Amino acid sequence: MTPEEELQRLNRLIHQYETVYRTTADADQRERAAHELKELKSYRNKILAVNVIDRGKLAEPPAAGD
């Protein structure tokens, strides 16, 4: 997996966890989501620090139904 692909995967996961964090009414789930977000963002920052990322490759391809 290239760094660009890994970054895309991380960005997608971060977006999903942010959605869970914003929408859940359960305090325990919110705490777990916040912890996971912190870990994922830290990992994303590490990837960005050690790799040269081509921002053009990070653009999401259009969905199949579009």
Side-chain angles (χ1 to χ4, degrees), residues 17-60:
Y17 274 102
E18 285 173 339
T19 301
V20 169
Y21 182 82
R22 283 192 316 267
T23 60
T24 188
D26 183 6
D28 289 334
Q29 187 176 21
R30 183 177 299 231
E31 185 178 325
R32 288 190 306 269
H35 176 73
E36 192 64 30
L37 276 168
K38 182 180 174 185
E39 295 293 320
L40 290 170
K41 288 179 179 181
S42 173
Y43 183 51
R44 179 178 62 182
N45 288 338
K46 289 175 186 176
I47 289 175
L48 290 171
V50 298
N51 292 292
V52 176
I53 303 295
D54 181 3
R55 298 285 179 182
K57 292 183 180 180
L58 291 181
E60 291 290 322

